[in-house]
Amino acid sequence: MAKVRTARRAEADGVDGSPVLANSLFRRAIRGWAGYTGVGWPAASPDAMTPEAVVDGIVLLKEDHKTVEKLFKQFEKAGEDAHVEKRKIADKVIDELTTHTWIEEKIFYPAAREAAPDTKDHVLESIEEHHVVLWMLSELKDLDAADERFDAKMSVLMENVRHHVEEEEKEWFPEVRKAMGRNRLTELGEQMEAAKNKAPGEPLAVPSAKH
Ligand SMILES: [Fe+2]
Ligand SMILES: [Fe+2]
């Protein structure tokens, strides 16, 4: 499973090579900068590069959100009959969101609740939103891209995910950042980065799908 995921992730860097790939290379570069915390610009110069990756957990999640948003834009730009291209984009969306919801549910959400108990309702609502998204991903996996329901299902999925991301980023992640502080967020970032390769490839294997 890990090998398949690694291959799929490499491929997920871009449908046609473009901004998603550039974004990904930038991310890898900045993670190598010692002192980079995800807040503002790196404290150290690029000369101080170390092999050790430093990544802030909330920055990591927001980067995932950006990757998915880029795929959504590519999907929206694809022609009505571009079934092969749309199938490829949808598969990448399924892969990215399955991994993302999994690391949030396994690592970030429980840690957020513990550090900032007032976020409990937001976390519970987010899990319900994941539930809906994961079932839609599972349906999209088996739906022919030429089926008349395919674009409609992708469109509702995109609406749901955009709404969910906006709530995470604007309504409660800032509260979690304040409660956790830099060291804890870095620790979580490292845990989530490492856990990505262990995420399931199947949307319904993410815990909230079965709740
Ligand atoms: Fe989420
Ligand atoms: Fe998220």
Side-chain angles (χ1 to χ4, degrees), residues 129-142:
E129 288 171 353
H130 281 190
H131 175 86
V132 174
V133 164
L134 290 161
W135 277 89
M136 294 196 85
L137 295 176
S138 150
E139 289 163 4
L140 277 163
K141 221 175 152 184
D142 298 326

Side-chain angles (χ1 to χ4, degrees), residues 65 100-101 104 109 126 130 164-165 168 172-173:
H65 294 166
H100 182 78
T101 52
E104 281 188 339
Y109 285 3
S126 294
H130 281 190
H164 178 83
V165 163
E168 285 186 337
W172 63 281
F173 279 8

